[in-house]
Amino acid sequence: MSKFDILISGVGGQGTVLASRLIAAAAINQGCFARTAETIGMSQRGGCVVSHVRIDSQKSGSVIPLRSAHMLIAFELAEAARNIPRLSKKGCCIVNTQVIKPVSASLGNSHYDNNEIIKYIKDNSQEVYFIDGYSLAEKAGNVKAVNVVLLGAATAVGKMPFTKEIMQDAIIKNVPQKFRELNQKAFEMGYEATVKLIIKA
Amino acid sequence: MSKKLLMGNEAIALGAIRAGVNIVTGYPGTPSTEVLETVARNNPGDIYVEWSVNEKSAMEVAAGAAYSGARTMVTMKQVGLNVASDPLMSLAYIGVKGGMVILVADDPGPFSSQTEQDTRHFARYSNLPVLDPSSPEEAYEMIQYAFELSEMVELPVFLRPTTRICHSCATIDLDEKRLEHKIEGFVKDPRWVIFPSLAYKKHIHIEKLQHKLSDIFSDLSFNKVEGKDVRLGVAASGVAYSYVVEALEKLNADVKLFKVGTPYPLPSDVASSFLEELDEVLVFEELDPVVEEEIIMLCASKQQKIRILGKKTGHLPFAGEYTFELVYDALAKYLNIEIEEFENTLAPELPVRQPVLCAGCPHRASFYAVKIAMKSQKAVFTGDIGCYTLGNAKPLDMVDTCLCMGAGITVAQGIKRAQPDTKHIAFIGDSTFFHTGIPGIVNAVYNNTDITVVILDNSTTAMTGHQPHPGTGKTMMNNISEKIDIYGMVKACGVKHIVKGNPLDFNNAVDIIKKAAEYKGPSVVIFEAPCIALFKPPVKYTINENCKNCKKCITDIGCPAISFIDGKVSIEPSLCYGCGLCTNVCPFNAIGGEENE
């Protein structure tokens, strides 16, 4: 197995930590070694959060170096742009188009321009998939399932070092029983939406 | 054996359980908190676990148990060690019988701390050995060894992980076989009483022990010399070692590498064999130049002429977290290897996301009530450590000072003495009140200082992840305990004007503050409303057609659930916690509640 580094970025409260744990769990089930590093503490609800997942990198630190991630899964539009510098030139990125405006932007103390951000993401990544994860999660039954929608999307790209079944299995084993059906549905919806994008491309 | 993805803090906890730890105490503090929580969650049933009222108490409880032969662990973050430093220094002289590990997590960066202070100084200062893990896997091994070492030399032992160890996960081979550690019981002996004559003898004893410890450490695999180059050497400790290994691989370079797992005492034999034939050494370690200084002293004592490069020579920074990139660049320069410059296209201006109080947080209402009540008066607002430190963010802007746990109340008294014509209002949380807030209130009463203390009681220790405390009536052993009444405590301290209120009952909250501020002498307001993480919101609020887009709800209270998107004010339903504070702010009755399903 060759090394595979995945960066997950988003806003506190979106479920990025759980998403990184689920990917790591899938990697371990495949027989790989996994490492993660996460943002925890200091009221991260609403703050920038980043999770690093490194597969088969026993002799490395837990943080993915700049321009080295094979994949970026961004849970929020501006957070995608903020973390593009860690993505490898040959890497791919999955971007949730959802916009979460911080209080600073609503107050007019900071800037949020969707079009500029989208252009920057497109200009700086070779392969990018824009997914409306919020609407898909809403359709699946709960907007909080947006993290699993995006895991479905990331799996559909077909670059992760494990199969779709192993990823699904990790999700089912690690979420509470009463949310299993919701998460399965959310995963499939993210997966299907991305497959459609790939076919179109 | 089983393979599991474990956070460094979880690995430390499970390692301690495997080593037969009997008693674990601590006070929550990022990045250390999950260690104690994981012990409690995986308790086989015979381990006593407590959140103590502060770090000093936690250290003393663990010490007493270790005197009795129990294996004990006390957990805290680096700033917490300052609170526990009094018992620490004496404990180093007294020593222990059962293995005692002092787990102190350092926070380079810092991510969530007042200072970047380096716990390895405390190890040097107190003459206690310190283990410095370079990965979560190594932390799992080190914690188990730490108990053995502690019993061997009858001293407490530091384990000092940093944020990147504590909050990183790794695949760890768990050995589920647990060692059983029998507690012998307390045996009366003059050794437990620190008289001056004993202190003198003990000082001689621990100074001698430093050499023995250095020899013991030279035989450990946590310290080792790798690689070949005989002219250029690199020494690295803690997480910096993992960055060095990764960078050397990427640079395709080979150097003589000294992995330092025990920064104090330095393993002199290993260090000496590393230094042989070297011209230069570059030292990588986060925070202060502890290993760097130890190597300089070793070279000096052997009259070896080797250039030691690092923080003191300006080759590496003192402050901030080390990263792969920083280590990679410094190594390339040191080894004279040319590397590609990192070019980055300029990103568009991105929104700033400062940490803010959660949507629905009752502290927002408390701060806003005080702000409205004090509107036309000169007032200084002293803050403290907890979620409510975030009351400093705009638009609330209600935290003028923040020093350390419990200091908001006493700093207010100092400013009052210097500036008597101003109102002084100190904010403190419920857990911090018990931690070190009470002595400050006693001091205000004793010296009759005219301040108002606002206790923000949300029934939990929110910032570190909702730990119980003496006011919650619950313990970490899942027992129901005596709920210590904050009102009664304040009354017992001698405060004459005490009022309780709900900050979300907004107009009443404003009145309560006005009256407390008018009172001459120390007064206390206790605002009670639970943290949003403790309950499901009964209602959610939405914007109706009365909205004139004046944005007062945004500009006055800065709730993250309310934003201005596509020319309209809206409330994000997944974020609204139904506190209703915004309904008190809106001048047009444009915010209405809907029952939550």
Side-chain angles (χ1 to χ4, degrees):
Chain A
M1 182 66 58
S2 59
K3 291 182 183 179
F4 198 77
D5 290 340
I6 304 166
L7 191 74
I8 302 175
S9 69
V11 174
Q14 284 192 297
T16 54
V17 172
L18 178 62
S20 70
R21 298 293 174 83
L22 294 173
I23 293 174
I28 292 174
N29 286 349
Q30 181 92 340
C32 300
F33 180 93
R35 260 185 213 295
T36 71
E38 285 126 14
T39 322
I40 293 173
M42 197 71 189
S43 186
Q44 288 302 334
R45 220 181 271 260
C48 301
V49 290
V50 182
S51 285
H52 304 249
V53 186
R54 309 194 75 181
I55 298 168
D56 271 345
S57 53
Q58 282 90 331
K59 282 189 150 190
S60 302
S62 55
V63 176
I64 301 168
L66 290 170
R67 226 180 1 178
S68 300
H70 299 93
M71 185 185 264
L72 167 65
I73 310 174
F75 282 40
E76 200 271 350
L77 191 63
E79 297 317 307
R82 211 187 296 279
N83 289 284
I84 284 276
R86 270 191 208 276
L87 185 65
S88 149
K89 281 190 169 162
K90 290 179 202 148
C92 73
C93 72
I94 289 98
V95 180
N96 181 19
T97 52
Q98 184 183 353
V99 167
I100 301 176
K101 264 201 185 179
V103 173
S104 66
S106 296
L107 288 170
N109 298 333
S110 89
H111 197 66
Y112 200 126
D113 185 324
N114 303 17
N115 295 331
E116 259 180 42
I117 291 171
I118 290 170
K119 183 177 179 314
Y120 172 73
I121 295 168
K122 281 184 180 161
D123 287 349
N124 286 281
S125 50
Q126 242 183 23
E127 192 183 342
V128 54
Y129 303 97
F130 289 100
I131 306 282
D132 184 359
Y134 187 89
S135 305
L136 290 173
E138 209 171 22
K139 265 185 225 155
N142 192 330
V143 293
K144 287 192 174 146
V146 71
N147 57 352
V148 174
V149 169
L150 293 167
L151 285 183
T155 310
V157 176
K159 293 193 175 163
M160 297 250 223
F162 39 76
T163 60
K164 180 185 177 189
E165 287 68 34
I166 284 193
M167 188 70 240
Q168 281 172 309
D169 190 52
I171 294 169
I172 288 167
K173 282 203 180 114
N174 288 288
V175 301
Q177 176 111 38
K178 60 176 175 176
F179 297 123
R180 272 182 199 162
E181 209 179 308
L182 164 74
N183 279 295
Q184 265 172 312
K185 209 167 157 193
F187 182 87
E188 283 298 343
M189 290 180 88
Y191 191 94
E192 291 305 326
T194 311
V195 168
K196 271 185 207 153
L197 280 180
I198 293 171
I199 292 168
K200 243 196 256 170
Chain B
M1 292 282 227
S2 66
K3 274 189 204 301
K4 265 203 176 136
L5 185 80
L6 290 181
M7 192 195 274
N9 280 344
E10 294 171 326
I12 292 166
L14 296 183
I17 292 175
R18 172 163 151 70
V21 73
N22 306 107
I23 282 151
V24 182
T25 62
Y27 186 80
T30 312
S32 71
T33 312
E34 297 85 359
V35 175
L36 190 144
E37 288 179 331
T38 307
V39 175
R41 204 168 45 241
N42 294 278
N43 193 346
D46 54 1
I47 303 174
Y48 173 75
V49 188
E50 75 167 36
W51 282 127
S52 309
V53 73
N54 62 26
E55 295 82 359
K56 171 178 150 70
S57 312
M59 177 89 68
E60 291 159 353
V61 172
Y67 291 171
S68 315
R71 283 197 162 181
T72 71
M73 176 163 70
V74 54
T75 75
M76 65 198 73
K77 67 182 296 182
Q78 88 281 19
V79 281
L81 187 58
N82 300 333
V83 180
S85 61
D86 196 16
L88 172 77
M89 300 309 283
S90 300
L91 190 58
Y93 275 41
I94 285 284
V96 291
K97 192 161 89 183
M100 173 169 170
V101 178
I102 304 169
L103 183 285
V104 188
D106 278 2
D107 186 19
F111 286 84
S112 53
S113 302
Q114 306 94 298
T115 65
E116 281 199 317
Q117 69 189 57
D118 191 324
T119 291
R120 297 175 305 165
H121 285 305
F122 262 115
R124 230 172 14 177
Y125 183 26
S126 60
N127 277 315
L128 293 177
V130 57
L131 305 169
D132 196 0
S134 63
S135 66
E137 307 92 284
E138 194 174 39
Y140 180 66
E141 301 298 324
M142 276 187 173
I143 181 75
Q144 298 181 56
Y145 173 72
F147 286 103
E148 267 176 55
L149 174 69
S150 171
E151 277 162 16
M152 195 193 316
V153 294
E154 297 193 324
L155 284 182
V157 171
F158 278 108
L159 179 67
R160 176 259 191 187
T162 53
T163 307
R164 286 294 175 196
I165 305 295
C166 295
H167 288 164
S168 290
C169 295
T171 316
I172 292 174
D173 285 316
L174 275 183
D175 189 345
E176 272 123 17
K177 219 167 47 206
R178 180 175 171 229
L179 300 178
E180 269 209 33
H181 185 80
K182 284 237 158 64
I183 305 174
E184 287 166 26
F186 183 75
V187 180
K188 294 188 185 195
D189 189 307
R191 73 178 272 200
W192 304 123
V193 187
I194 190 148
F195 271 122
S197 61
L198 177 69
Y200 170 72
K201 280 186 213 148
K202 281 287 191 175
H203 190 183
I204 296 168
H205 171 70
I206 52 170
E207 285 298 339
K208 275 192 190 151
L209 252 186
Q210 304 308 303
H211 300 289
K212 188 180 164 190
L213 280 164
S214 169
D215 291 344
I216 294 172
F217 283 168
S218 280
D219 293 331
L220 290 180
S221 58
F222 302 135
N223 296 309
K224 61 182 175 192
V225 179
E226 306 158 289
K228 282 196 261 342
D229 199 306
V230 289
R231 202 180 62 78
L232 296 179
V234 169
S237 103
V239 74
Y241 170 77
S242 68
Y243 298 139
V244 169
V245 172
E246 191 173 356
L248 286 173
E249 194 189 334
K250 191 168 176 193
L251 289 167
N252 204 7
D254 198 4
V255 291
K256 201 171 179 190
L257 174 59
F258 178 19
K259 176 188 180 300
V260 188
T262 60
Y264 185 82
L266 192 74
S268 302
D269 287 353
V270 185
S272 298
S273 75
F274 163 68
L275 292 169
E276 255 170 50
E277 296 179 66
L278 289 181
D279 295 336
E280 280 186 352
V281 174
L282 179 59
V283 186
F284 288 97
E285 59 190 319
E286 286 183 317
L287 303 176
D288 294 337
V290 173
V291 171
E292 191 177 331
E293 284 174 2
E294 292 290 322
I295 292 178
I296 290 171
M297 283 195 278
L298 186 66
C299 286
S301 73
K302 297 187 169 233
Q303 297 189 323
Q304 260 178 303
K305 284 210 175 105
I306 301 175
R307 283 186 69 206
I308 310 299
L309 313 177
K311 296 172 197 282
K312 287 175 169 289
T313 54
H315 288 79
L316 289 162
F318 279 85
E321 190 196 12
Y322 278 19
T323 59
F324 169 84
E325 290 78 15
L326 182 146
V327 170
Y328 180 72
D329 289 350
L331 263 179
K333 207 176 276 173
Y334 178 59
L335 300 174
N336 221 349
I337 300 171
E338 254 186 60
I339 52 170
E340 230 182 295
E341 282 281 310
F342 178 76
E343 46 171 314
N344 198 16
T345 47
L346 211 59
E349 195 192 331
L350 295 172
V352 180
R353 285 188 210 277
Q354 275 177 335
V356 290
L357 294 171
C358 298
C361 174
H363 297 337
R364 179 176 286 103
S366 297
F367 282 125
Y368 191 61
V370 176
K371 190 172 192 164
I372 296 296
M374 302 312 292
K375 216 168 184 180
S376 53
Q377 299 183 59
K378 236 173 105 183
V380 175
F381 307 106
T382 51
D384 218 297
I385 311 286
C387 285
Y388 50 95
T389 314
L390 302 172
N392 73 328
K394 297 255 181 303
L396 289 171
D397 196 15
M398 287 293 284
V399 175
D400 298 322
T401 73
C402 176
L403 180 66
C404 64
M405 296 282 284
I409 295 171
T410 28
V411 166
Q413 295 167 49
I415 304 178
K416 175 74 191 179
R417 292 296 169 192
Q419 195 178 316
D421 66 336
T422 307
K423 292 283 173 199
H424 295 274
I425 299 187
F427 295 95
I428 191 165
D430 40 349
S431 190
T432 312
F433 169 80
F434 290 109
H435 180 279
T436 33
I438 296 167
I441 293 179
V442 171
N443 196 61
V445 173
Y446 175 57
N447 294 296
N448 193 29
T449 313
D450 181 15
I451 61 163
T452 298
V453 178
V454 181
I455 301 173
L456 306 172
D457 182 0
N458 63 358
S459 300
T460 188
T461 319
M463 182 161 248
T464 45
H466 309 103
Q467 291 77 19
H469 62 64
T472 61
K474 273 181 228 141
T475 72
M476 204 51 181
M477 297 292 285
N478 292 321
N479 294 324
I480 301 298
S481 74
E482 184 72 32
K483 202 171 181 170
I484 298 182
D485 174 37
I486 295 178
Y487 185 96
M489 284 295 288
V490 173
K491 195 166 179 209
C493 290
V495 178
K496 296 285 182 285
H497 183 100
I498 319 167
V499 191
K500 275 210 258 191
N502 179 350
L504 298 166
D505 176 4
F506 192 70
N507 295 330
N508 187 36
V510 173
D511 280 349
I512 288 174
I513 291 293
K514 280 185 181 160
K515 285 197 186 103
E518 276 162 19
Y519 181 83
K520 291 277 167 260
S523 59
V524 171
V525 171
I526 305 167
F527 275 146
E528 294 176 325
C531 172
I532 57 151
L534 302 180
F535 71 101
K536 195 172 181 286
V539 284
K540 292 203 173 197
Y541 287 89
T542 51
I543 308 280
N544 62 35
E545 65 288 345
N546 294 342
C547 180
K548 305 264 186 289
N549 283 325
C550 74
K551 295 204 254 182
K552 193 168 190 300
C553 53
I554 293 172
T555 54
D556 267 28
I557 56 174
C559 172
I562 313 178
S563 55
F564 192 67
I565 292 179
D566 301 332
K568 270 189 183 155
V569 175
S570 65
I571 298 178
E572 167 56 42
S574 66
L575 290 176
C576 179
Y577 267 84
C579 75
L581 178 64
C582 51
T583 61
N584 292 291
V585 176
C586 178
F588 303 110
N589 272 327
I591 305 176
E594 265 173 31
E595 249 176 70
N596 205 3
E597 33 10 296

